[in-house]
Amino acid sequence: MRFIDDQKPPYDLTYNDCFMVPGRSEVGSRLDVDLVPADGLGTTLPIVVSNMTAVSGKRMAETVARRGAIAVLPQDIPLDIVESNITYVKSRHPVYETPITLRPGDTIQEALNLIHKRAHGAVIIVNEHEEPVGIFTENDAAGFDRFTQLQRVMATDLLTIDEGTPLETIFDRLSSKRLTSAPVVRGRRLIGVVTRKGALRSTLYKPAVDAKGKLLIGTAIGINGDVKAKAEALLRAGTDLLVVDVAHGHQRRMLEAVELIRSLSPSVPVMAGNVVTREGTRDLISAGADQVKVGVGPGAMCTTRMMTGVGRPQFSAVLDCAEEARKLGKHACADGGVRHPRDVALALAAGAANVMIGSWFAGTYESPADVLRDSDGRFYKENFGMASQRAVKARSRGESLFERARKDLFEEGISTSRMYLDPDHPGVEDIIDQIIAGVRSSCTYAGARTLEEFHQRAVVGVQSQAGYDEGRPVRTSW
Ligand SMILES: NC(=O)C1=CN([C@@H]2O[C@H](COP(=O)(O)OP(=O)(O)OC[C@H]3O[C@@H](n4cnc5c(N)ncnc54)[C@H](OP(=O)(O)O)[C@@H]3O)[C@@H](O)[C@H]2O)C=CC1
Ligand SMILES: Nc1nc2c(ncn2[C@@H]2O[C@H](COP(=O)(O)O)[C@@H](O)[C@H]2O)c(=O)[nH]1
């Protein structure tokens, strides 16, 4: 990446400060761009879902891995739950979505409680042999009370798709019947759900899978407690990526933890952070990290900079740390502060191998929280920072009341915030579509076919606030 006229500003930059100019391109189509990160992890998109309790769980993990990204389970979750989540994600189909199932005798209320847990908007009603016998969508509830059994309202003229049916055929069949989704069967037994959009997406994205073809999943670990025992348990459980994560990643205990983890497994990919300096990057890499996580204070739930004055504008932090990591043959993950596809593109232009996103994904069907409605009827989910009182309480539940009360005094981070589901993009895959459309386009503007070429060719300028505002779409007349 270079700055226009090679004029690097003498101050640090946020994503909003930056813009990219187009360059001569030989890339004929945005679909010719390969977005596989250079880190060799097995992902096919440069997106990592933050290890935040309100963001990353098993549904998030399976959904993003199916499209080529990876989610990291937070360090707050009890180890036995982490183990079962890894097993669950590894058991998911790499193409077909996991169905929500109920029995004919279950009620509309039960179906409505579950239907927003996934984006495909249907509950499949199965018999005792796990064979689909009906399908329920929200519209089927109209005019019935909540205790009505599903067998009374479900649609029974089912279109089922045989496992292995070509994706284009699935799309055509669903389109011709004006259906958005259908159960997938092996013989007569339900094995998944496929949607029209899902069939299309599966032709555009490649799942992130391990050597056995199982979906990838990462886990996070802190530096408190018995790091060795926790790391060993996560490795045994089959984590594909270990993220060693603390607010201040450039500290002795962190470096020791990374060294320890590296000694336990020479081969597991280790991401460690957070840092924003070249020195921090070097130290984490010499301790054994394959990838440094970059970002202090840019996150949407983050009060670090207001509380402490510490942090660094994210674009410059990524630029420096990624350059340092590259010199050492390693990688950087730009963590936090992403609110638009352009931010992802700028992080990649700055040299990041991956971009970690938290709060944006909290407002999706796949994040762990339940969907709530505000007084205007708009759907939202609760999000909270990992340094907030709520998260600290969860992390320290094994400690004495006294210790927990002391920790409360160190609360940092927003306790809860509302992340509204975008009615046009309520699922995490909808947001991934937006991001990837933006990033593919950015690459072709720069004339790049790969992320490495993008980093080499990107030309960045610095803009005023007015320059940034000019780029924002205008939704009403003025
Ligand atoms: N990227 C960012 O800007 C930030 C991210 N976070 C996120 O919040 C979560 C919790 O982070 P964290 O509180 O570090 O995790 P932990 O609860 O795992 O604590 C980190 C350890 O580091 C010690 N420590 C020393 N200096 C600091 C410091 N300046 N800030 C925090 N801890 C320090 C703490 O000791 P002691 O408690 O005794 O001081 C503690 O033992 C993580 O997921 C992290 O990513 C949090 C803040 C900023
Ligand atoms: N200072 C804090 N940073 C936090 C907290 N919880 C998470 N984080 C960091 O933010 C990113 C995600 O950023 P986002 O803009 O996409 O939401 C996450 O990966 C952490 O590094 C917190 O409580 N305080």
Side-chain angles (χ1 to χ4, degrees):
M1 190 224 94
R2 67 179 178 82
F3 286 99
I4 296 175
D5 299 330
D6 294 320
Q7 297 285 311
K8 186 176 180 190
Y11 46 86
D12 277 351
L13 303 168
T14 65
Y15 293 135
N16 285 9
D17 289 324
C18 300
F19 65 93
M20 286 181 277
V21 286
R24 184 188 160 121
S25 177
E26 305 296 328
V27 188
S29 164
R30 285 166 292 184
L31 291 176
D32 292 343
V33 178
D34 177 2
L35 293 178
V36 175
D39 59 7
L41 185 60
T43 52
T44 60
L45 297 180
I47 295 178
V48 180
V49 181
S50 285
N51 46 304
M52 289 169 70
T53 310
V55 178
S56 193
K58 60 185 180 182
R59 279 177 295 124
M60 179 64 77
E62 68 161 293
T63 310
V64 302
R66 214 171 264 127
R67 300 302 167 215
I70 187 167
V72 182
L73 298 178
Q75 53 269 49
D76 298 4
I77 307 181
L79 268 174
D80 55 331
I81 307 285
V82 174
E83 284 160 4
S84 75
N85 283 354
I86 294 176
T87 308
Y88 175 86
V89 170
K90 297 273 170 206
S91 72
R92 299 299 87 195
H93 199 283
V95 177
Y96 308 132
E97 296 169 34
T98 302
I100 298 168
T101 57
L102 284 173
R103 300 279 182 208
D106 290 329
T107 62
I108 287 182
Q109 183 64 63
E110 285 163 297
L112 292 176
N113 287 345
L114 293 173
I115 203 158
H116 289 306
K117 295 277 179 199
R118 296 191 179 268
H120 50 249
V123 174
I124 312 292
I125 323 301
V126 291
N127 65 17
E128 64 281 15
H129 308 296
E130 300 301 319
E131 297 164 353
V133 293
I135 189 163
F136 168 89
T137 60
E138 263 184 309
N139 291 341
D140 298 323
F144 292 92
D145 75 56
R146 302 288 150 121
F147 302 105
T148 308
Q149 290 189 325
L150 293 172
Q151 57 200 348
R152 279 195 57 205
V153 296
M154 66 192 188
T156 50
D157 53 339
L158 281 184
L159 168 77
T160 53
I161 303 288
D162 288 325
E163 182 184 19
T165 305
L167 294 163
E168 206 175 323
T169 312
I170 297 175
F171 180 84
D172 289 343
R173 274 194 206 155
L174 287 170
S175 303
S176 67
K177 298 231 174 213
R178 295 173 183 234
L179 293 171
T180 51
S181 63
V184 182
V185 289
R186 181 180 300 148
R188 287 162 61 174
R189 203 182 149 86
L190 180 72
I191 60 157
V193 165
V194 70
T195 63
R196 239 191 304 179
K197 246 190 198 166
L200 280 182
R201 286 187 176 121
S202 294
T203 65
L204 292 168
Y205 297 107
K206 203 165 155 240
V209 289
D210 62 20
K212 294 182 187 149
K214 306 290 180 193
L215 295 174
L216 296 185
I217 179 166
T219 51
I221 183 167
I223 57 172
N224 291 334
D226 191 343
V227 176
K228 182 167 183 276
K230 284 186 202 165
E232 281 171 342
L234 295 173
L235 290 168
R236 260 197 317 276
T239 188
D240 296 296
L241 167 70
L242 263 179
V243 177
V244 197
D245 178 42
V246 289
H248 182 17
H250 195 190
Q251 55 166 304
R252 183 174 52 79
R253 284 205 300 132
M254 173 71 172
L255 299 173
E256 287 167 1
V258 174
E259 273 168 18
L260 171 73
I261 288 167
R262 180 46 77 216
S263 74
L264 294 177
S265 165
S267 58
V268 69
V270 174
M271 185 186 280
N274 278 20
V275 292
V276 286
T277 61
R278 289 175 183 272
E279 297 74 25
T281 302
R282 275 200 301 274
D283 283 354
L284 285 176
I285 288 174
S286 24
D290 302 295
Q291 189 149 175
V292 288
K293 198 151 75 75
V294 181
V296 174
M301 293 300 105
C302 197
T303 55
T304 302
R305 293 193 196 160
M306 290 302 128
M307 294 281 286
T308 66
V310 177
R312 191 176 178 194
Q314 183 69 348
F315 182 82
S316 297
V318 174
L319 190 62
D320 271 8
C321 296
E323 189 180 61
E324 201 60 31
R326 281 162 175 266
K327 275 190 208 157
L328 301 166
K330 301 291 182 186
H331 310 276
C333 174
D335 174 20
V338 167
R339 290 163 203 191
H340 303 283
R342 72 183 297 282
D343 305 334
V344 177
L346 282 161
L348 297 168
N354 288 297
V355 182
M356 187 175 242
I357 301 175
S359 301
W360 198 4
F361 291 160
T364 62
Y365 286 135
E366 292 81 2
S367 66
D370 287 331
V371 178
L372 303 172
R373 255 179 213 261
D374 72 5
S375 51
D376 297 325
R378 290 171 65 203
F379 288 129
Y380 71 92
K381 288 203 175 184
E382 279 191 346
N383 186 27
F384 54 93
M386 295 305 286
S388 66
Q389 203 178 51
R390 182 163 166 180
V392 172
K393 273 205 168 84
R395 248 196 322 278
S396 55
R397 62 186 163 261
E399 297 172 18
S400 72
L401 214 56
F402 178 72
E403 269 310 317
R404 296 176 70 178
R406 262 162 49 108
K407 285 203 168 143
D408 267 2
L409 296 181
F410 279 85
E411 179 198 354
E412 189 259 284
I414 299 172
S415 245
T416 54
S417 67
R418 287 183 180 185
M419 289 291 146
Y420 281 93
L421 275 71
D422 176 346
D424 297 325
H425 306 101
V428 68
E429 291 166 290
D430 301 320
I431 299 179
I432 289 178
D433 289 345
Q434 282 184 298
I435 293 173
I436 296 309
V439 171
R440 281 183 181 282
S441 216
S442 301
C443 288
T444 59
Y445 274 121
R449 283 177 204 280
T450 63
L451 291 179
E452 194 46 41
E453 281 183 19
F454 183 47
H455 171 56
Q456 299 303 332
R457 297 176 69 103
V459 180
V460 171
V462 179
Q463 64 191 350
S464 61
Q465 179 66 47
Y468 180 78
D469 287 344
E470 186 186 53
R472 296 171 75 92
V474 180
R475 298 203 188 275
T476 52
S477 58
W478 54 94

